[in-house]
Amino acid sequence: MALPDIINHQDFLLTIHTNDEKLIKNALPGVHIYPLMLDSENGVWVLRVLFEPGTVLPKHFHTGVVHLYTLAGSWHYTEYPDDLQVAGSYLFEPGGSIHQFQVPADNTEVTDTFMVVMGSNINFDPDGNYMNIMDAGWIEQVMLAAAKEQGIEPNYIKPKVYTVLVSNFNP
């Protein structure tokens, strides 16, 4: 078999060096992010997220899978307090899971994570009432607003939106 033709030509590698980027602080309270790739068309968000000690996210339902790797610090789900995720932990979350992310208040360092999320989080308040949907588009809006407020122009990968033009279409 011969080497296939290039389908998507690249003039350069699509790389984000988070050590060279400015951290977007408090995109949500206690949640600081480096956006890596936000693809609202395919429902995929890839982020490096730093969580302050004591940060608790809303209880949420995942419509797709999540890959979450902990680089530093620790966290757990409120529903699984004894299953602490620490530096070096990789967690796979299947779609349909429901839980609440929590960083222990007594952590002595910021919890640093890398995540690949497919689909959305449907968030609920403490009484179980619907709050909002967090997906790649929502994350991008919140992140861009926080970045603008901080005078940051974030670099991240955003796949092109493709438009199919059909000429001479006769049904």
Side-chain angles (χ1 to χ4, degrees):
M1 178 173 170
L3 184 65
D5 291 332
I6 295 173
I7 295 172
N8 292 316
H9 175 74
Q10 289 181 258
D11 293 326
F12 54 89
L13 294 178
L14 300 173
T15 304
I16 305 297
H17 296 281
T18 58
N19 292 340
D20 298 335
E21 297 297 324
K22 291 186 178 177
L23 179 65
I24 300 168
K25 296 184 178 180
N26 292 307
L28 297 173
V31 179
H32 318 301
I33 66 171
Y34 294 104
L36 301 175
M37 196 269 297
L38 297 169
D39 183 354
S40 57
E41 294 295 311
N42 291 298
V44 180
W45 26 306
V46 182
L47 307 168
R48 180 176 173 195
V49 183
L50 285 73
F51 297 95
E52 292 291 336
T55 299
V56 179
L57 298 180
K59 184 172 277 199
H60 54 275
F61 170 87
H62 284 280
T63 64
V65 301
V66 176
H67 302 273
L68 181 55
Y69 185 78
T70 304
L71 299 159
S74 65
W75 64 274
H76 62 85
Y77 289 129
T78 306
E79 299 80 6
Y80 305 96
D82 297 330
D83 197 357
L84 195 63
Q85 303 295 302
V86 297
S89 297
Y90 163 73
L91 179 75
F92 173 78
E93 300 173 9
S97 60
I98 299 173
H99 46 245
Q100 184 173 34
F101 181 98
Q102 181 173 1
V103 177
D106 61 356
N107 269 14
T108 57
E109 64 181 325
V110 170
T111 296
D112 190 354
T113 64
F114 168 79
M115 62 183 70
V116 177
V117 182
M118 298 175 191
S120 60
N121 290 1
I122 302 173
N123 294 325
F124 297 89
D125 70 15
D127 296 323
N129 299 306
Y130 169 81
M131 286 176 47
N132 62 8
I133 295 176
M134 180 186 296
D135 61 8
W138 188 90
I139 294 280
E140 187 173 35
Q141 289 176 357
V142 168
M143 176 272 301
L144 288 173
K148 183 178 181 180
E149 196 173 280
Q150 296 168 41
I152 297 171
E153 290 188 35
N155 291 316
Y156 60 99
I157 298 164
K158 182 175 176 79
K160 293 179 184 178
V161 176
Y162 296 96
T163 303
V164 176
L165 299 176
V166 179
S167 60
N168 300 322
F169 178 71
N170 292 316

